[in-house]
Amino acid sequence: MIKLKITSSIAFIGLLLLFTVSCNNDKFLETMSKETLTDATMWANEGNADIYLNDCYSRLEPLGNQPDNLDNFTSDNDAGFYYTSYNFKKGIVEASAGPNGSIWGGTCGPFQIYGWEGYYQTIRKINTFMAKITENQAKYVDVSKPNWYNKRMDEARFLRAWNYCEMFYRLGGVPLVVDPQNRATDTEAEMLLPRSSYEATFNLIVGELNTILTNGNLVIKYKSGDGDAGRATLGAALQLKGWVQLFAASPAYNSTDPAVPRTSDNLQSFADYKLSRWADAAATNLEFINTYGHKGTGTYKLFTPMSQLWYESNEYNSEVIWDRQQVATTMAQSYDTFGGPVWIQGTYYTWGNYCPTQELVDEYQMSNGMNPLNPDGTVNVASGYNDQNPYVNREKRFYDWVVYDGATYKQDWMPVADVIYTRIDKVNPSKNQIDYGSDDVGNTAYYSKKRLDNKNPRGGNNDGRNYIFHRYAEVLLNYAEAQNEAVGPDASVYEAVNAIRQRPGTDLPALTAGMDQTQMRAAIKHERRIEFSYENHRLFDLWRWKDSLVEMNKDLHAMEIKNTVPLTNGGVWTYTRISLNHPHVFTQKMYFCPIPQAAMDRNKNLIQNFGY
Amino acid sequence: MKKTKRLLWTDFRSGPGKLIRIPSFFTLLILVGAIILFQSEVTAQAIPGDNAGPLAAVTNLSTINNNGAALQQNKITGTVLNDRGEPLIGATVKIEGTTLGAITDVDGKFSLNVSDPKATLSVSFIGYVSQQIPLAGKTTIDITLVPTVESLQEVIVIGYGTQKRASITGSVSAVKGDVVSKIPVANVTNALSGQISGVLSRQNGGEPGSDNSDIFIRGVATTGSAVPLIVIDGIIRSRSEWNSTLNKYILVSNLNQIDPSTIESVTVLKDAAAVAPYGMGGANGVILIKTKSGAVGLPTLTYNGYYGWQTPTYYPHLLNAVDYMKLRNEAVLNQSATAVLPFDPATIANYASLHASDPDRYPDSNTKDLVNFNVPIQKHDVQISGGNEKTKYFAGVGYYGQKGLFEKVNYSRYNFNLNLETNVTNTTKVSASFIGSAETKNDLDIASSSEQIFRNNYKFIPTEAIYYSNGQWGQFAGNSPVAVLKGSGYSKDENNTILTSLAVEQQLPFIKGLSLKGVFSYDTRLRYEKGWHTPFYYSVINLNTTPYTYTQSISTQEGNVPAYTYLQQYDSRWRTYTYQAYLNYNRSFGKHNVTGLVVAEARNGNYDQLYGRRNNFSVGIDELGLGSSNKNDYDNGGTSNVNAQIGYVYRVGWNYDSRYMLEASGRYDGHYYFAPGKRWGYFPAFSAAWRISEENFMKGIFWLTNLKLRASWGKSGNLAGSAYQYLSGYTLAGNSYAFGSGVMGQGAYVDNENNPNITWEVSTKSNIGFDASFWKDILTVEADFFYEKRTGMLLSPSITVPYEYGIGLAQTNAGKMDNMGLEVTVGSKKEFSNGLKLFVSANLSVAKNKLVQTFETAATYDNPNRRRTGRALGTVFGYKSLGFFTTAEDINGDGVIDANDGYNITQWGILHPGDIKYADLSGPAGVPDGKIDSNDETVIGYPQNYPLMTFGMTATADWKGLDLSLFFQGSAMTSFNTQNFMTFPFFNNNSNADYEYYNNRWTPTNQNAKYPIAWPSPTSNMQQASDFWQRNASYLRLKNAQLGYTLPSSVMKVIKMKSLRVYVASQNLFTISGLKFMDPESSTYNTDGTFSPSMKSYTIGVNVTF
């Protein structure tokens, strides 16, 4: 018994001893975080480094997932009040909105997912990637990945230029950070960069794109099935260059009277007006057409049928130049959740956010290529337009893209067609009839069906269609516009615009011959408005043309369709343009977004944009 | 005024206080000491007989009964009497330094065999002063015990030990278990509010199983985690966890698993002297829970049970169809006088009769109908306890059940408790404790939630049918709350928790007063969550046919919910191991009493989770394997982590004649959160007390029973942030981007620049206080004043780099904060000769903090209205409102307030009479600039999330078996942002409004209104943060009222029970508050009316003892 006692006591002490000794050792506290990679691992080889670049690509804004889009900041669309665009249309944009973008009732202006902070975060990621793979370049010797370093550097350059573009469009000149800053070693001057001028920012972007084009490391275009499809291409670089040149050559920035008053800093416009900027833009876009485009190798050309351009099965088609990758289920596009008719076959399907205004609908021509309305708003009798039967004999794009009262609606996923009624019908009320507020049903009497997923009933996680940022039709119209401004409406201008109008499936007559420069300008503006509607381009067009101040201060309208004998529908259906009743205010400062006050508070060298 | 420092452009690094590294030989020394002691103990015990060690004892109980039989023993007998000469039955007589003892019988007599004739007897009885009597060779001893003054003799559980109330030097408050167990709530946290000074709690709504309260001790003294530490039966059983959904640190503890009726006491440790033994865990205060253990005596069987009904304290009053339509028309007309009205005035005027004749075309629905307003709550427990001098036991089983406001929502918990204590030798005690709980929480379909339903209640407008007249489920905007409530989807959350500990305590008789204890604890929790979604069906009515026809559709809740069936399951497990070794010394030398304690404690644990999901079940059976076999419908995931902590605790105390007391305590603590070399911290504390009332010069003051002054100073730590924040690293994340074939690739990114120096926060606490008792506890007063400096708080210095830097900076230990306040508890009790007993206790706590060092930009720092530094944490900034624009201000009568009316200040958008007007306080140049923007911000309310002042009051009366208790609780100096569905019309997409708004809105004829003019949608101008929406949330509520009757003992004898008490009780019976439309006790993030409301309850119950 004594033995047992001793044994057990020793066992007891032993236990204490064991853990006390182990306590004394830091090993007990040594645990592992399995989700963290070290610097050495991250850059060890091409495959690992690619994982980092994947994250940079993922920062491309999935614009197809937004219930609010840039078109809602224009006179083309009318959507709910809970969006930032609603405040914008009331003239509410302010610097104190914070450093980030928001689509939800914000006052930051047309930023979507990212704002000042978000773009600079992306830029730092890209700068870090470039610095790190340069530092570790010697490690990248995998023979199965030839020229890996040079390709990835050019991809990173493209992504960085892309992000600077997003800020350039909205803010003008911005601080240009091209290396990861280091607060431990950088001087105050290196840390607190002032805004570069409009021209310097423009030059950085174009310079980077030129480098990519000169290097020629990237492929011109990917096609469906390519393992690297979705990475930056030479085609994307050349198109972006041509577009940015056109953007900057526009009267809002390249003028003796720019959109906002010129200051000595030249932050919001070039210091002078130069016709050559138009010529540069024309040359670049022409280069695209003549090399990669339909007049060159034909790698890029217009896709037909137009109505199927956005089908998932047609990803990477000949018209697509630069797109944001989306994958069903895991990285899906949810565009369809938000737009299209709200009620389909008696079921609530969408939020009803893409509601064309009467102004946009009036812009669609008749099938004979004539405008339904005269510039003063009266009916253009010659066109054959009947304002009491307005949806007949319109151009094909109207029927492809707009759901109107009485339109047959049939997507591939629908077993049978539905007819959408937006009229006010007291006898057979329809769920989609316009109202002023009981649920998500739109107020204009129209829904956009452009870019909607044809295959799947609801957006959510079924839709893997890529979001197309830029397509070949833009190159054509970019060229036409630049050439018209630089030289005038020569034959090449007609040819470019008519390529769009006369493409199979659009089938509009060619433009009337003999237009002067001003008439051609109007024709091109018209063509851009229709062709690129609901593709997030209209806002920047209105801005760069300096048209917002007029266009965005106009009253906007809906179509009210009523029966003269409402109780029996025994009368006739009347079509009345009624005011949307939301105030629309656009002031001069709104040609640009404000530099967020929060950013100014942290960097005393930043100068605010005009009017904020 | 305190000098504040602006942290602008400075790379400020604040050390967490200098570390005193305890040499490793310190622990070695303890160890060697322990071994030597043990070895000598073994030698000393190596005497003839069966006096075996602890392990032998467990295996051979019979040997214990023969314990000491072979020794030369003397039989000692005696009687224990009270001061009136009556025998005390059940008094404990022990031989000092051993576990041998006896209990007095019905005549107060005892007998004991004692081997050492010089031994000392210790005689104790609850409610009487214990006595020590040296035998000095005597064999017959009569002892008279005198009653104690209760407040002084009370034994209080403190960190790693217990102490008599009279000798405590720190700031410690305690309540008995029955105080918390009598409140009919599931969770101890909900019973503490207002009971103990310095403790403030706020309830997170009333959803069964999730209605626990946030608890703070002495306010909030940090920008990091302010949650206290929870210690249950001596083992740390809590942690703080960042919840990104709620955007705050939440307390994760086992308090939810403890049956309140098994709680013996709750102690709150507040000052440094009390919390220092918890090192890095103590700075936010510590709550110690002790569960019941067995008591010597015959087996006692008790049954406690109650059954009650709960109903919300506040519930929104939504507009009916007519008022909704009127308000909607009014709003549209306000926007444009020529607008087409959404609702035909003729229809509105006739609506009652239209609705009566055709409710499907003219619905008048109220989503309140979906809510059950009387939901049952019940609790039952059976406990048995007893024991003899050798072995004591306590066992209990309990059930708690609570239903929710919706049929599928409920929570139930089964509890099992077992506590055993046995003296296996004269000097060895083994105790084991087992606390088990099985919880089940049922909720709505996994794809939705109760919260979603409450939100739906606003969003579902009354002019649409919830149900059609044929019983089918209606819809609004493609949503049907009924589909969620009545569909077959569900979510289930099961938690099985087992908290165990085994302790062996060894007296070491060769050094008097020394004992050694080893504790091992193993806690485990298994969580099983299963969620099942089935499509939400609803019907759309076609009013164009006669009779009406209905089409069934599937709701996706605005695209957020799949239209297909899916099942998901999570399996998680937590395991925690705690090892403790105690060395305890407790001895008196004449009037000098010396205590010493050293504890080595190590804790580690791990966590694993596995997740699986399947979509598209063609057969509606909720079994994972029966889902679609398409791999695109599969999903799985998982995660795991481990944790570790080591601490060395000490406490030494000296007191002289219970008059002068000094104590030093502390902990040397190491934690896995931090980088090697940054892991160990030392947290010392010192305290002293002086019982003036024991001094000779005070003896003459007959009415002063006790007066003790206390003072303490010390340091403690707080873990903030999260584990591994020191690591510089790339976070690897799945599903980042996809090239080519659409196969998702991983991505990697750096969250923040790292900070390898990151470490804990240090709290330096000072406390002075006094305890006083007058006329033998007829009046007791306890008061404390505290001052705390928190340094090394984790803050991100991102403000010191421009946004263009492009990456967040890791947090650094840079923040400094002060927190000060006072607590007063006053109690009184009196027993009258007619048997009436009265007891009143009230407490008041005030705590106010101040940010001494924080990062802020020049823009806020340079504007005295906006400066953050020097203000309390959570101070709300916003605009100062000047009421509404009046129609009189619209001088030109165009309905718009602008420069033409002489108003030249830019607010948000076009302004109208009835809109809120703001004060132009300042501009970029420091003077008003005609523009309302961030330069005009100023302080607009009390700090959010916690009230500055809290109070509670308990009053009880007993008379001839009747007992009444009233417990009031409240808080003051607190405000809420009240902008929500209740105060704003059409808050979200034409949603319904509340009569709170409707009856108090601005109209041209009611310009002196409480709420602004109605617009068809929220406007920027009204949605600004301003003092307009900050409303005083002070309140006083009758938290608990109880009336009971205990049957007289004459009756008891007949029915053969020891006692029987029946009672009726009510929780949250009434509330006095300026806020008439929402519960002022809610946590602020739950103030928008879209969450489960707090509940009021009425219960009847019974306490039976057999």
Side-chain angles (χ1 to χ4, degrees), chain B residues 126 154-157 162 174-181 188 232-233 258-267 288-295 383 385 392-394 417 419 421 435:
Chain B
I126 291 169
E154 196 187 350
V155 174
I156 307 279
V157 179
T162 57
V175 291
K176 293 258 173 57
D178 56 355
V179 173
V180 292
S181 66
V188 189
I232 299 169
D233 290 337
I258 301 291
D259 178 353
S261 66
T262 63
I263 291 175
E264 186 168 297
S265 70
V266 178
T267 310
L288 305 175
I289 305 280
K290 184 174 181 324
T291 62
K292 285 180 182 166
S293 50
Q383 297 174 350
S385 78
K392 290 185 275 187
Y393 59 89
F394 171 85
N417 286 65
N419 199 318
E421 240 180 69
I435 301 173

Side-chain angles (χ1 to χ4, degrees), chain A residues 1-2 4-6 8-10 12-13 16-17 19-20 23-26 28-39 42-43 51-52 54-55 57-58 60 81-82 86-87 90 92 94 96 99 107 116-117 120-121 124-125 132 175 177 181-183 191-193 226-231 316 323-325 327 330-331 337 343 346-348 351 427-429 431 436-440 458 461 560 581-583 597-599 601-603 606 612, chain B residues 9 11 24 27 31 34-35 38-39 41-42 45-46 51-56 60 328 335-336 339-340 461 475-478 504 518 538 540 544 553-554 556 558-559 563-564 579 581 600-604 639-640 642 644-646 648 670-672 676 679-680 724 727-732 735-740 742 744-749 753 798-799 801-807 809 857 859 908-910 931 934 989-990 1017-1020:
Chain A
M1 264 316 183
I2 291 171
L4 181 61
K5 160 92 184 141
I6 292 171
S8 55
S9 293
I10 287 176
F12 182 45
I13 298 243
L16 285 175
L17 181 74
F19 106 79
T20 314
C23 289
N24 212 16
N25 197 325
D26 254 355
F28 188 87
L29 298 179
E30 204 55 60
T31 58
M32 266 252 296
S33 168
K34 294 179 186 167
E35 286 167 350
T36 314
L37 297 185
T38 62
D39 200 69
M42 188 78 256
W43 307 107
I51 290 175
Y52 189 93
N54 286 350
D55 181 62
Y57 271 101
S58 78
L60 288 168
F81 59 85
Y82 22 65
Y86 194 77
N87 280 331
K90 289 199 282 188
I92 306 175
E94 46 168 29
S96 57
T107 53
W116 183 274
E117 183 179 16
Y120 277 107
Q121 282 170 347
R124 184 179 180 105
K125 284 168 190 274
K132 287 288 183 182
V177 189
Q181 291 170 313
N182 183 339
R183 64 188 170 121
M191 288 289 289
L192 302 184
L193 296 171
D226 288 343
D228 273 340
R231 294 190 183 276
Y316 314 110
D323 55 357
R324 207 269 177 203
Q325 306 297 298
V327 176
T330 37
M331 193 170 67
T337 306
W343 292 86
T347 295
Y348 170 98
W351 297 17
V427 181
N428 297 303
K431 282 273 170 197
Y436 299 97
S438 50
D439 69 9
D440 293 332
R458 286 174 166 87
N461 53 10
E560 188 181 71
N581 279 324
H582 320 308
Q597 186 59 43
D601 289 344
R602 291 200 196 176
N603 182 351
L606 295 181
Y612 290 103
Chain B
W9 301 113
D11 186 15
S24 49
T27 34
L31 226 96
I35 294 168
F38 255 93
Q39 293 302 345
E41 189 251 8
V42 168
Q45 293 282 322
N51 190 5
L55 300 176
N60 189 358
R328 192 75 204 157
Q335 182 164 276
S336 164
V340 183
I461 65 171
Q475 60 80 34
F476 172 63
V504 181
Y538 62 89
V540 181
N544 303 339
S553 297
I554 295 176
T556 60
E558 289 147 41
Y564 50 80
Y579 319 83
E601 181 181 70
R603 303 170 60 222
N604 61 356
T639 181
S640 72
V642 294
Q645 183 187 11
I646 300 175
Y648 300 97
H671 205 280
Y672 82 109
R679 284 181 178 152
W680 291 89
Y724 310 115
L727 282 179
S728 137
Y730 297 84
T731 303
L732 192 59
N735 289 357
S736 178
Y737 206 64
F739 295 111
M744 295 299 299
Q746 288 177 307
Y749 55 88
E753 274 193 337
S798 286
I799 204 102
V801 296
Y803 280 108
E804 299 86 274
Y805 196 62
I807 187 167
L809 306 186
T857 62
W908 287 266
I910 298 163
K931 190 172 155 189
S934 48
N989 206 7
N990 316 322
S1017 59
T1019 64
S1020 272

Side-chain angles (χ1 to χ4, degrees), chain B residues 54 87 199 391 439 464 482 783 793 808 859 876 990 1056:
Chain B
V199 177
T391 303
E439 299 163 278
E464 298 283 344
V482 187
M793 288 187 316
V876 198
N990 316 322
K1056 302 234 159 75

Side-chain angles (χ1 to χ4, degrees), chain A residues 69-79 85 88-89 357 360 529 534 536-543 548 551-552 556 584:
Chain A
N69 50 57
L70 292 182
D71 298 290
N72 209 13
F73 290 82
T74 74
S75 49
D76 283 0
N77 192 56
D78 179 70
S85 57
F88 182 84
K89 285 184 189 168
T357 55
L360 176 64
R529 184 174 187 183
Y534 289 94
N536 290 316
H537 293 331
R538 173 79 173 159
L539 172 73
F540 298 138
D541 282 348
L542 285 176
W543 274 359
S548 302
E551 184 69 25
M552 293 299 294
L556 297 177
H584 291 86

